[in-house]
Amino acid sequence: MEHIISVTVENKFGVLSRVAGLFSGRGFNIESLSVAPTLDPSMSQMTIVTSGDERIVEQIVKQLNKLIDIIKVVDLSENEFVSRETALIKVHTRMEDRAEALRIVDIFRANIIDSTPGTYTIEVTGDPKKIEAIINLLQPLGIKELTRTGRVAVAREPIRTAAAQPKKIARE
Amino acid sequence: MKLTGSEIFIECLKKEGVKTIFALPGGVVLKIFDMLHQQKDVQVILTRHEQGAGHMAEGYAKATGKAGVCLVTSGPGMTNVITALADAYMDSVPLVCFSGQVPTSLIGNDAFQEADNVGLSRPCTKYNFLVKDVNDLAATIKEAFYIATTGRPGPVLVDIPKDVSMAKAEFVYPNSVSIRGYNPTYDGNKWQIKQAAEAIMKAKKPILYVGGGVVFSGAAQELLELAEMTQIPVDMTLMGLGAFPGEHPLSLGMMGMHGTYQANMAVHYSDLVIAVGARFDDRVTGKVSEFCPYAKIIHIDIDPTSIRKNINVDIPIVGDCKAVLRELNQILRATVNGEQKTLRKPWWDQIREWQTAHPLTYQQDADGPIKPQEVVKRLYELTKDRDPIVATDVGQHQMWAAQYFKLAKPNRWLTSGGLGTMGFGFPAAMGAQAAFPGRLVLCIAGDGSVQMNMQEMATAVVSKLPVKIIILNNRFHGMVRQWQDLFYEGRYASSYLDTTPDFVKLAEAYGAVGLRAKKVADLDAVLKEAIAVNGPVIVDVPTHPYENCYPMIPAGGCNHEMILEDPPELKKKMAGTPQVTPEDKDTILTA
């Protein structure tokens, strides 16, 4: 089963290779991995998409926790979460195709971020299914280049009814 | 006052209480060696190979329980010490290895003797550092010792570029360390411990399965109390030997691939396995799906990744063995009612039955070739009163040492378990001897493995480390030959070593003493003579070339299905005084 693991790490050199080395050394899968700094410049946030049965994923989480440069590990798949991925797609557009390309961009609420007489570069964000779908539709036009970010994800906040809401505590 | 990086290095070692380091110089660490030369607080033992330095530091650590320290140069120095780091990582040995590195300005330029030390050692260290600024050096060394010795211990590498060892900085040694991503759990979950105590009280056929974690956490006393209070039999892993007294009536000896019959049967038929500081290695579990099929499992370990890695566990307890056993004993003390002996009687009757049915056995003819087991047994009888430290290499001799040399206390057993590093024993013994100059340190070795670090004999002679090496010389890579006998139809591909070198002459060439026992009748006298020598000794004991080590669980086999003796076709080879026939020698060698 697919799992999305959110990992907070020290923003130091070599941390990415420690994580990558852990996955390759122990034979775990990485489907995608994205990493970028957080609000606190001493930390970075990784989102790892992986797969395996319950025991393997438990080991992945434990082994990640064991790495000294890793501060926090959350398996988002245990609860509700939202995830997004961005793709940049450069498509060939002959004169007669340009209107079709615009229609597809419109349907998927994507953007054209660069345009030349022969190409459009399209930016699309969504869950992986949406990205697959737009790629399928654009393929007949001729995709020249395609690059995807891999997924980022965040846990959903639990919805509380008014009665269950905790009292606001004044900050000192 | 400002100090150079090299001086800071030495000051840090002093603050950590390091008295001895094992080292070999080279271009980029010359400044550090130059400073070491000008002080007296830290003793430097110059080894002949960096692998030797690493294993000596391991032996030092295993015997003392403190971090062992080694220092090597960049490039080949680093690659040579990798085996020792990997060994220490598998066996959880606290080790701090310092490596030299080319100057920071040259890193990445393929400079002379440059290697990516941090990259090379990443998969075989608990953590590693590259110090880029001399101002970070002291704090980094403090962290290195902290990480190596806390939690589940392990090796840590500190890579010091040449310019950092020469640059100056103010020396400030931090008093404490705080690493936000590293907080080992020492106290076990109280509720879980209570569950464990209840399971122990309910169990009819419980067994303790103890590993090296008990030795490193210093929990031998707590383990003894638990076992005696509850009358639970104790199985030890190879790494756990010494954690529980080998001669104690509750001890069933070693378990696993070459464990005793009763130890393996007891774990297979038990209804409760209490694993303490052990990690369910495949050499212990055999076939995982059929490992102790009737038992509930309690697993106490400081490393959460060890739990549920190979085996499903019913009551996991993450924590330090000592702290958890202490808590467990406290609960049990209040519940145990003195009827444990009667309660456990049927279980013990069964175990005694197994014990008498298939004890460890071998046949020594008075005028036949010497059996390796006999050598270990005689050595044990002759030295047990002196509380010796025993090191081994890896192979048949290691298993016989584990079976027949019964250790009374922890930190006396230096062996390479996880990585199975041939050539480990002799340097490890030297490391222990450096820590305890007055103690008797023995190294039981095979003729194959001892040659893998033979060069360190020069270190032993020059640095006056009077280790006694007893070579069980069967002219074979014995364990390889045993597998070839049992699983490869007796084709001895590259396992025959012939009778070279002459170990007595080799010892003499190094300036050590060489002795040989040719007959069983000579054994005691020769061993006594060796022990009496005030210096390193090699005792060469030519043994039966075809003796195999039993019991044996074939790899991937089930724990209660042990091979207990040679199959009939192999028994023929055992008769009389066998000579190795030309057919048994490697076809490539003899062609």
Side-chain angles (χ1 to χ4, degrees):
Chain A
M1 198 190 126
E2 186 187 86
H3 281 252
I4 300 195
I5 300 172
S6 170
V7 189
T8 313
V9 304
E10 296 282 353
N11 188 8
K12 287 192 207 164
F13 72 92
V15 176
L16 181 60
S17 70
R18 284 181 208 276
V19 173
L22 167 66
F23 275 76
S24 64
R26 293 193 180 265
F28 301 144
N29 297 319
I30 296 185
E31 273 160 35
S32 76
L33 186 154
S34 79
V35 54
T38 61
L39 284 176
D40 178 347
S42 72
M43 293 193 272
S44 288
Q45 186 70 35
M46 281 186 191
T47 308
I48 302 172
V49 181
T50 183
S51 61
D53 63 26
E54 195 195 337
R55 181 173 293 169
I56 288 175
V57 173
E58 179 182 328
Q59 267 297 312
I60 292 174
V61 171
K62 281 177 169 179
Q63 293 285 357
L64 283 169
N65 263 313
K66 190 173 163 180
L67 289 182
I68 286 166
D69 284 332
I70 286 186
I71 299 160
K72 193 178 171 192
V73 181
V74 181
D75 182 358
L76 291 173
S77 316
E78 284 177 358
N79 290 301
E80 295 276 306
F81 66 94
V82 283
S83 74
R84 288 292 180 270
E85 180 175 4
T86 291
L88 299 180
I89 311 162
K90 196 183 283 175
V91 285
H92 282 291
T93 46
R94 285 165 306 204
M95 260 333 243
E96 62 269 32
D97 291 339
R98 285 177 87 88
E100 170 66 3
L102 275 175
R103 258 199 302 280
I104 295 170
V105 165
D106 197 35
I107 293 167
F108 284 90
R109 275 177 281 172
N111 296 310
I112 292 172
I113 55 174
D114 189 32
S115 158
T116 67
T119 63
Y120 278 144
T121 300
I122 297 163
E123 172 211 0
V124 60
T125 297
D127 61 30
K129 274 187 196 152
K130 174 177 166 181
I131 306 230
E132 292 298 330
I134 191 171
I135 290 170
N136 281 339
L137 286 179
L138 289 172
Q139 223 148 19
L141 306 184
I143 293 178
K144 205 176 170 203
E145 269 180 68
L146 168 68
T147 168
R148 297 169 69 162
T149 58
R151 259 177 291 172
V152 291
V154 71
R156 292 182 81 154
E157 275 301 300
I159 300 165
R160 295 197 184 88
T161 55
Q165 231 158 31
K167 279 178 192 163
K168 273 190 185 165
I169 299 161
R171 284 220 182 127
E172 284 176 25
Chain B
M1 197 187 71
K2 287 197 167 183
L3 300 180
T4 62
S6 306
E7 289 165 311
I8 290 173
F9 167 79
I10 292 163
E11 289 306 314
C12 292
L13 292 188
K14 283 201 250 173
K15 292 269 185 196
E16 289 295 332
V18 177
K19 298 272 190 305
T20 308
I21 67 169
F22 306 92
L24 205 148
V28 295
V29 284
L30 276 180
K31 179 73 181 170
I32 296 176
F33 274 85
D34 191 42
M35 296 318 298
L36 282 165
H37 187 69
Q38 297 172 43
Q39 55 82 48
K40 290 215 165 64
D41 299 295
V42 181
Q43 181 202 9
V44 177
I45 292 186
L46 166 65
T47 67
R48 296 302 184 269
H49 189 286
E50 285 87 354
Q51 188 189 352
H55 291 321
M56 283 180 214
E58 280 189 271
Y60 182 96
K62 286 190 184 211
T64 61
K66 289 190 280 192
V69 180
C70 58
L71 167 63
V72 302
T73 190
S74 61
M78 179 62 209
T79 54
N80 279 345
V81 85
I82 291 267
T83 304
L85 293 178
D87 189 90
Y89 191 48
M90 285 287 255
D91 287 346
S92 312
V93 183
L95 198 72
V96 181
C97 175
F98 295 94
S99 59
Q101 182 55 278
V102 301
T104 43
S105 59
L106 288 180
I107 290 179
N109 278 9
D110 298 332
F112 177 64
Q113 290 194 332
E114 183 186 354
D116 176 7
N117 292 356
V118 166
L120 281 168
S121 60
R122 188 175 300 123
C124 56
T125 50
K126 187 173 172 186
Y127 197 68
N128 56 18
F129 298 91
L130 167 62
V131 185
K132 283 183 164 171
D133 183 345
V134 68
N135 289 299
D136 299 334
L137 184 61
T140 304
I141 294 176
K142 175 88 186 175
E143 282 185 22
F145 275 92
Y146 174 72
I147 292 171
T149 52
T150 52
R152 178 178 177 177
V156 177
L157 177 96
V158 183
D159 197 24
I160 306 176
K162 186 179 183 184
D163 54 329
V164 172
S165 74
M166 299 174 87
K168 285 190 168 184
E170 208 65 54
F171 174 63
V172 188
Y173 204 60
N175 289 320
S176 63
V177 179
S178 161
I179 303 166
R180 56 184 166 179
Y182 178 68
N183 300 296
T185 311
Y186 286 92
D187 292 324
N189 181 300
K190 283 198 166 35
W191 193 81
Q192 290 287 85
I193 296 175
K194 206 175 273 175
Q195 295 292 307
E198 274 170 29
I200 290 171
M201 291 309 290
K202 262 190 243 159
K204 292 200 171 65
K205 297 188 275 184
I207 182 126
L208 275 154
Y209 151 35
V210 307
V214 175
V215 177
F216 271 121
S217 93
Q221 198 51 46
E222 286 76 7
L223 175 68
L224 187 66
E225 192 195 337
L226 172 65
E228 286 184 340
M229 178 165 53
T230 55
Q231 290 294 308
I232 297 178
V234 181
D235 270 11
M236 280 171 274
T237 68
L238 178 65
M239 301 314 296
L241 293 174
F244 192 78
E247 296 270 26
H248 196 288
L250 293 173
S251 163
L252 304 188
M254 183 174 72
M255 67 191 300
M257 186 172 266
H258 291 286
T260 63
Y261 184 73
Q262 66 269 16
N264 286 331
M265 292 300 273
V267 81
H268 185 81
Y269 289 103
S270 68
D271 66 354
L272 178 71
V273 172
I274 309 149
V276 193
R279 61 183 175 86
F280 294 89
D281 179 82
D282 56 275
R283 285 297 191 260
V284 159
T285 60
K287 194 175 188 178
V288 167
S289 58
E290 284 169 50
F291 179 67
C292 53
Y294 317 106
K296 239 185 163 176
I297 299 180
I298 301 171
H299 191 179
I300 303 167
D301 203 296
I302 197 159
D303 179 0
T305 65
S306 287
I307 290 171
R308 268 168 62 83
K309 184 174 67 183
N310 302 333
I311 295 276
N312 216 356
V313 174
D314 301 282
I315 307 176
I317 303 174
V318 176
D320 176 44
C321 296
K322 195 183 177 83
V324 174
L325 289 186
R326 196 175 275 174
E327 180 94 25
L328 185 62
N329 286 345
Q330 209 170 355
I331 300 173
L332 287 171
R333 233 176 275 140
T335 19
V336 165
N337 46 19
E339 288 170 9
Q340 299 307 308
K341 269 210 168 120
T342 30
L343 199 74
R344 298 259 181 268
K345 190 160 181 304
W347 180 223
W348 272 106
D349 286 347
Q350 171 69 72
I351 290 171
R352 297 295 177 221
E353 210 171 283
W354 286 324
Q355 233 159 359
T356 22
H358 299 289
L360 289 173
T361 177
Y362 63 95
Q363 198 188 332
Q364 176 65 64
D365 300 329
D367 50 354
I370 302 175
K371 289 293 180 72
Q373 299 95 323
E374 179 74 6
V375 185
V376 178
K377 209 167 179 186
R378 292 314 307 151
L379 186 64
Y380 171 60
E381 294 298 338
L382 288 171
T383 60
K384 62 179 175 186
D385 296 336
R386 293 187 55 182
D387 188 18
I389 294 172
V390 184
T392 78
D393 274 317
V394 171
Q396 282 185 321
H397 70 274
Q398 177 190 32
M399 293 298 117
W400 284 316
Q403 290 174 340
Y404 290 93
F405 210 108
K406 301 199 173 6
L407 296 145
K409 292 177 192 162
N411 301 101
R412 267 70 172 168
W413 177 244
L414 320 174
T415 201
S416 167
L419 196 67
T421 312
M422 290 169 68
F424 168 88
F426 180 34
M430 290 165 62
Q433 187 82 75
F436 299 106
R439 295 265 297 271
L440 175 63
V441 183
L442 305 169
C443 171
I444 300 173
D447 54 312
S449 51
V450 77
Q451 293 186 60
M452 289 200 178
N453 269 317
M454 199 65 242
Q455 77 286 346
E456 297 307 333
M457 186 50 101
T459 311
V461 170
V462 173
S463 299
K464 299 194 168 50
L465 300 169
V467 170
K468 313 293 181 250
I469 307 178
I470 294 90
I471 300 177
L472 308 184
N473 187 346
N474 59 2
R475 279 85 74 207
F476 273 107
H477 282 303
M479 192 58 92
V480 172
R481 185 197 46 68
Q482 176 166 348
W483 281 55
Q484 288 168 336
D485 265 336
L486 292 170
F487 313 118
Y488 295 89
E489 293 162 6
R491 289 184 298 276
Y492 296 159
S494 300
S495 57
Y496 183 63
L497 298 168
D498 218 325
T499 48
T500 181
D502 180 329
F503 286 107
V504 173
K505 283 188 185 152
L506 188 63
E508 285 163 359
Y510 279 110
V513 174
L515 302 170
R516 183 170 290 129
K518 288 183 182 159
K519 300 195 299 282
V520 189
D522 300 344
L523 258 181
D524 277 19
V526 172
L527 291 174
K528 274 185 198 159
E529 190 185 344
I531 293 159
V533 173
N534 182 23
V537 181
I538 292 181
V539 182
D540 181 32
V541 187
T543 58
H544 196 301
Y546 295 115
E547 184 71 16
N548 285 335
C549 184
Y550 296 108
M552 178 182 190
I553 303 166
C558 203
N559 268 344
H560 66 300
E561 294 165 352
M562 282 164 268
I563 306 175
L564 294 164
E565 55 176 19
D566 276 329
E569 71 271 17
L570 289 180
K571 279 192 177 154
K572 288 188 299 223
K573 288 193 166 177
M574 299 304 294
T577 307
Q579 296 296 317
V580 179
T581 58
E583 303 87 73
D584 280 357
K585 298 176 182 178
D586 192 302
T587 45
I588 300 161
L589 280 174
T590 50

